[in-house]
Amino acid sequence: MILLVYVDDIILVCTSESLLTSFIDSLKSEFSMKDLGPLHYFLGIEATLDYSAHKLLLTQNKYSIDILRKHDMLGCKPCKTPVGSGPRVSAYDGDPLKDAASYRSLVGGLQYLTLTRPDISFVVNYVSQFMHSPTDIHLQLAKCILRYIKKGFLGQGITLSSGNCSELTAYCDSDWAGCLDTIKSTSGYCVFVGGNLVSWSSKKQHTISRSSTEVEYIGLANAAAKILWLSYLFEELSIYLSLPCRLYCDNLGASSLTANPIFHARTKHIEVDYHMIRELLLVF
């Protein structure tokens, strides 16, 4: 049995129907609670179970519509992509907004939407970097995300299928000095378990990197840390992964750096924390 608690909301998963019923009765005898039956809605996330295909679809359709309505974008013109292909926007572009709270509310709402929409994770992280002093240009970027959501993508989400849960695979990538103002880079990763996407992130790095190899190497270390955390979680759930887990990177320099135990002059400045991936490679 697995019990997930968030404040006063609970999800119960069990392999035995009788044990599940008994446990719910025990909870009712101690606490005032209501059994809502099979999972349909949890923290704004809609769950649709296809019993025949053994699939679970997680969406935020109602939440998406509420965001569009709140910001008067239900009748907006749809957009095919969440962000344009032009040059990056600076924090100093455009005129300051008179109502910065509205922008922060919009971006905050979009951040919660990334729980089931990994396709907007990068651009939501992008517009989140202007929360301190948003301008009209930044507002246009945020509204472009709403237009993208409006274009027939309201029902999209994460599909979880039954299968082999012992295989964990991850992919990571990074840009180099993508931020115009800080010259910092952005790293992203996605983690799959048995073909199901279970974790993803797009985040600006804390340090300024002096080469694309260093950027990708730091991205590798961040993805490896997430893999480690998931492996510990699965172990507690009695799900044992087949080792080694696979982590893919498209930078040959970073891949070579993980396998080379020698600190070259060009890599001495890299923080020791990021060299943890070398130890992992040696262990497995």
Side-chain angles (χ1 to χ4, degrees):
M1 176 184 291
I2 300 173
L3 182 147
L4 172 65
V5 181
Y6 186 87
V7 189
D8 59 350
D9 293 298
I10 300 175
I11 293 180
L12 273 172
V13 180
C14 186
T15 56
S16 170
E17 188 69 29
S18 59
L19 177 60
L20 183 64
T21 303
S22 174
F23 184 74
I24 291 175
D25 291 339
S26 299
L27 285 177
K28 287 182 177 179
S29 65
E30 296 291 336
F31 307 101
S32 176
M33 58 176 294
K34 183 186 295 184
D35 182 7
L36 300 178
L39 179 64
H40 295 295
Y41 199 78
F42 186 74
L43 303 178
I45 300 175
E46 302 160 47
T48 305
L49 182 60
D50 186 344
Y51 290 95
S52 59
H54 302 286
K55 292 183 178 180
L56 177 66
L57 175 63
L58 303 177
T59 62
Q60 290 173 282
N61 187 45
K62 180 180 180 302
Y63 183 78
S64 301
I65 294 174
D66 289 342
I67 292 180
L68 289 168
R69 182 182 292 112
K70 179 180 179 181
H71 297 278
D72 298 324
M73 294 290 286
L74 273 176
C76 66
K77 184 179 179 181
C79 183
K80 293 183 179 180
T81 59
V83 65
S85 58
R88 288 282 193 95
V89 172
S90 168
Y92 306 102
D93 291 341
D95 300 321
L97 294 176
K98 294 181 180 179
D99 183 15
S102 177
Y103 176 87
R104 293 172 184 137
S105 174
L106 170 57
V107 175
L110 290 172
Q111 287 176 346
Y112 191 70
L113 189 57
T114 59
L115 288 176
T116 59
R117 297 295 301 268
D119 53 328
I120 64 172
S121 292
F122 169 78
V123 65
V124 170
N125 171 264
Y126 180 23
V127 296
S128 298
Q129 297 173 23
F130 310 120
M131 298 276 267
H132 59 290
S133 181
T135 68
D136 55 345
I137 300 296
H138 306 149
L139 182 60
Q140 291 178 18
L141 286 174
K143 287 188 174 182
C144 182
I145 305 175
L146 294 179
R147 291 170 55 200
Y148 170 75
I149 295 170
K150 178 70 165 54
K151 184 176 172 55
F153 294 101
L154 287 174
Q156 283 197 355
I158 297 295
T159 300
L160 303 176
S161 306
S162 60
N164 183 10
C165 293
S166 64
E167 295 183 358
L168 191 152
T169 306
Y171 302 83
C172 68
D173 199 5
S174 305
D175 67 2
W176 182 29
C179 180
L180 297 180
D181 304 307
T182 63
I183 318 299
K184 292 182 179 179
S185 308
T186 300
S187 293
Y189 64 77
C190 54
V191 184
F192 293 83
V193 175
N196 296 307
L197 181 61
V198 298
S199 181
W200 56 92
S201 173
S202 178
K203 189 176 181 180
K204 188 162 67 174
Q205 294 183 359
H206 298 294
T207 58
I208 298 176
S209 300
R210 295 158 63 179
S211 68
S212 59
T213 294
E214 180 182 348
V215 168
E216 297 281 1
Y217 187 65
I218 293 174
L220 271 172
N222 292 334
K226 173 57 69 171
I227 292 174
L228 272 180
W229 184 87
L230 287 173
S231 67
Y232 298 148
L233 174 62
F234 291 160
E235 185 176 353
E236 290 186 5
L237 299 176
S238 298
I239 301 173
Y240 298 98
L241 300 172
S242 57
L243 301 176
C245 301
R246 297 185 180 273
L247 173 56
Y248 292 94
C249 171
D250 62 354
N251 187 280
L252 292 177
S255 300
S256 300
L257 193 57
T258 61
N260 191 347
I262 301 174
F263 285 79
H264 295 289
R266 293 183 179 180
T267 62
K268 282 184 177 180
H269 64 281
I270 300 178
E271 292 186 27
V272 177
D273 287 347
Y274 297 121
H275 289 300
M276 50 84 73
I277 194 169
R278 287 182 178 172
E279 292 187 359
L280 293 175
L281 194 65
L282 292 174
V283 169
F284 298 110

